[in-house]
Amino acid sequence: MGLRLEPRLAPSARWQAVSVAVALLAALAVSALLLESAGTDVGVAFAAILDGAFGGLRTTAKTLAKATPMILTGLAITVAFRAKVWNIGAEGQLFAGAMASYWLYTLTGPALGMALLPLLFAAGFVGGGLYGGLAGWLRSAFRVNEVLTTVMLNYVILYLLSFLLVGPWRDQSSFYQQSERIDRAAWLPDLWAPGKLHLGFLVAILAAVAIHVVMNRSWFGYEVKAVGLNARAARFKGINVERTAVAVMVLSGGLAGLAGMIQVFGVNHRLESDISLGFGFTGIIIAVLAMLRPGWVVFVAILFGGFENGGIKMQVATGAPSAIVSAIEAITLLFFLTAAALTRFRIVWRST
Amino acid sequence: MQPFLKVDQVTKRFHKVVANDRVSFDVMPGEIHCLLGENGAGKSTIAECIYGFYKPDEGTITVQGNPAGLTSPRDAIARGIGMVHQHFVLVSSMTVLENIVIGTDAARPILDLKAAAARIREIGRRYDVDIDLEARIWQLPVGQQQWVEILKALFQGARLLIMDEPTAVLTPQEARRLFQIFREMTADGLSVILISHKFDDVMQSDRVTVLRRAKVIGTVNTRETTKEALTNMMVGRSVELRVKRDEHPRGAPVLEVRDLRAANDFGTEKLSGIDLTVHRGEIVGIAGVAGNGQGELFEALIGARKTRGGSIRLDGADITGRSPAEIQRMGMGYIPDDRFADGLVGDYDIQSNLILGHHRREPFARRGLLQFRAIRDFARKAIEELEIKAPSETTRTRSLSGGNAQKVIVAREFAQATKVILANQPSRGLDVGVIEYMHERLLEKRRNDFGILLASEELDELLGLADRIVVIFKGRILGEFAAGTADIERIGLLMAGQETAGKAEEIS
Ligand SMILES: Nc1ncnc2c1ncn2[C@@H]1O[C@H](COP(=O)(O)OP(=O)(O)OP(=O)(O)O)[C@@H](O)[C@H]1O
Ligand SMILES: [Mg+2]
């Protein structure tokens, strides 16, 4: 007797929908068991999660704000993975973008007001892009495995950050490792103030639309996907595989860098290591769950954002330990990843 | 006598495509049974049904009188059915012995390599397959890698061996050896299902079942039929097995290769000073057993492989060291031998593959954006003109049969090239109908004053098409023959590396 995985010839849309629904129900069932065993009222807990995530305009806006950096890092990973360039360094590129934009701010100060914003966005993109591009260049020029370089560059940038935060960029008045608070004039304006939904969300949505167009409608996206699917044939037909890999890493790093800039100027309002809660890594999970489709990345990232906020609300409402929230999150994730795998494979059960 | 295998009214569909339509035939013990049919006729599909990889939608498969109900290759092996795929599934860093034993019951519950080795040697002796069990797969020539697959099937107790295009990658000598092994097996009561497009193979079988458009046209005794009759059954019309090559004056040199040197990916020298000239309106044939540098030569010519010395001129311009993009822009087209690895992006649809290389240009792209209407129109025209059999232009090329995949490449390269066409083993694995078509198109390009460089292992193909034939052996050109004066015996000797044979015959 045994289980075996067989590749599906062509995953149907209906099967995909069914498997997602099943994953959701299964995750709910297991989470319910867990809550039940912790002595929590399951109904109340689920209602709190839903309420905390999407109950009302204000909470929804908060959820969208939470989702913003994850949309961008999800897109960053999507672009890279499409070319089979394994960028594990979106976290580092996010910080590079944050630092580049903060550096620009230290040079100009808040005097420019709103006119500074486009420059800050550009700096975030360029900072992340250069940092990603570095790994891409090492891969293309010296065949250095990008998984290794991007992971190591994550550490490099964090150490550089903490050096700057105890040194030149340190807020002298504070005990923590953090920069001075950014002047209100340079904050990202709110789209909807009560929900703290800032301009960054709009930028993330625009980025998703742009990436969708680039990947599916432009010759550049066509080349990126061709390189990912069959680099040999792509090379034979004149596509510069090395240059494409560098370009992909620049674009990927740039998107992650935007996330960093947005966190600094839209959420934390200062440069500190808390600007990312591992968004660079969550981006990998989001991109994979979204099957590397930009539209789905937005959707999945918003669900993730909702879960964060809903979890907090549930904790408050039921007094369940925070470990349970993390456990539920992980369980849901596992079921969804399984569902994603099952749309491409099927389990065959047989007795021998 | 009871047939070993009986296939009864089997139907298999992939979505809307009917790959097998009520297919019936049987295989007797001790028989070599050939499946013949055009590309896309459904041969591989019925083979995979018998092997339990696909589940038939309708119909039954009976093994030794018992309904098989096969749902996986494991079931098939348990009932004595083994299969050797065209692309071998061996682990190249492991030894022959390890490859034979992994995944079999010999590895369970405790792996007894010694006992296994003894049994494998016994099988080898019985069927006259002599192979070093300790050799690593990558060290073996393709022909012997195939023996490993065969030994593995026999080791698992196969009584019926399915071989999908086994000779496509073999030298003529290796193919001859393979049939000797088949004969030893059939003398022992084992059976072979053989899928092949080569009539040399087909005529050595006992019976032939011909498939056309998913249906069985008939089963005939090989001794009572002819090549022509089989071709007729297969294509539904008579096919010119020999092409008509009219006289055509050759023009100025368009591709000049001087003292070209290059290595393979592992740094081993594969081209040791190639000199070669192709003129406008001329087809130059490269005769030689695959692996003697043809692949490296073509890759160097299109700019995808670094050269270590020598020069390449295209229409007078030095293109040595230029990029594939530049060289293509200057008018070179390439039809590679491994269609799915080198020629196509398998997960892209037909239309996307047809524009590969011209995807940045008008009318396919404008201001950076792909123009899907223009792309679709172009694809529809190509599909109609070349009679590519596919549901639509958005069909993924991976699901196309070999012949139709080749047509996609031919359509693309013929549309893009303006001066020179390179073709490496272009008819490998293709049915006679498609080969005839491709030969006609190559001759048409010759009439249009293209220079054509054609490598093939099929001497008949070269003799029929080429104006001149050169022989390649271990990265060197050993001799050159004009079409009229070419001596098959001599070329054959040169292909085997017997250098002295052709010198006297050389022309300039
Ligand atoms: N996995 C698949 N999904 C969809 N269609 C398929 C699949 N496999 C085969 N087909 C289609 O089924 C038909 C039969 O294909 P099959 O591979 O059996 O042909 P064949 O006779 O082996 O051809 P060839 O000589 O080129 O190998 C073709 O039209 C092919 O496109
Ligand atoms: Mg086939």
Side-chain angles (χ1 to χ4, degrees), chain A residues 152 205 243:
Chain A
M152 289 197 286
I205 296 298
R243 204 186 302 158

Side-chain angles (χ1 to χ4, degrees), chain B residues 139-297:
Chain B
Q139 299 170 315
L140 299 178
V142 210
Q144 295 202 9
Q145 292 184 19
Q146 195 171 52
W147 295 356
V148 178
E149 293 273 18
I150 295 172
L151 277 177
K152 177 158 189 161
L154 295 175
F155 178 70
Q156 290 175 299
R159 305 285 302 163
L160 166 69
L161 205 56
I162 307 171
M163 305 283 297
D164 197 349
E165 302 197 30
T167 57
V169 290
L170 300 187
T171 66
Q173 289 84 348
E174 285 174 329
R176 227 171 293 140
R177 254 321 261 127
L178 182 65
F179 275 90
Q180 282 168 4
I181 295 171
F182 287 169
R183 278 304 161 198
E184 301 277 349
M185 285 168 48
T186 52
D188 217 15
L190 306 190
S191 316
V192 176
I193 292 180
L194 173 72
I195 300 175
S196 178
H197 291 291
K198 295 188 184 173
F199 280 102
D200 285 349
D201 301 346
V202 178
M203 301 318 282
Q204 292 185 62
S205 65
D206 298 306
R207 284 190 300 163
V208 184
T209 293
V210 180
L211 289 160
R212 191 202 309 160
R213 304 209 173 149
K215 288 197 176 81
V216 170
I217 299 300
T219 300
V220 292
N221 290 324
T222 313
R223 243 172 307 156
E224 294 158 16
T225 189
T226 60
K227 235 167 145 168
E228 286 72 23
L230 286 173
T231 310
N232 247 321
M233 283 174 78
M234 189 175 136
V235 190
R237 63 183 167 93
S238 63
V239 170
E240 284 295 325
L241 291 170
R242 250 182 200 291
V243 283
K244 284 183 289 291
R245 194 169 60 93
D246 36 292
E247 283 306 313
H248 180 80
R250 78 180 193 190
V254 66
L255 181 68
E256 296 160 273
V257 181
R258 292 287 164 264
D259 194 31
L260 189 68
R261 290 161 191 283
N264 65 8
D265 293 341
F266 306 104
T268 316
E269 183 162 274
K270 277 296 200 178
L271 299 178
S272 313
I274 296 277
D275 285 295
L276 197 67
T277 304
V278 182
H279 300 81
R280 289 177 183 280
E282 179 187 47
I283 298 181
V284 174
I286 301 181
V289 176
N292 274 291
Q294 293 96 323
E296 287 80 7
L297 173 62

Side-chain angles (χ1 to χ4, degrees), chain B residues 471-482:
Chain B
V471 181
I472 192 168
F473 179 75
K474 289 203 171 155
R476 276 178 223 281
I477 301 287
L478 288 193
E480 179 174 324
F481 302 86

Side-chain angles (χ1 to χ4, degrees), chain B residues 14 17 19 38-45 54 165 197 399-403:
Chain B
F14 296 107
V17 182
E38 290 180 276
N39 294 120
K43 306 178 295 292
S44 297
T45 304
Y54 292 146
E165 302 197 30
H197 291 291
S399 71
L400 295 178
S401 76

Side-chain angles (χ1 to χ4, degrees), chain A residues 98-120:
Chain A
M99 285 155 71
S101 54
Y102 182 77
W103 178 60
L104 181 70
Y105 169 78
T106 60
L107 295 182
T108 61
L112 283 169
M114 287 297 272
L116 181 62
L117 277 182
L119 295 176
L120 291 174

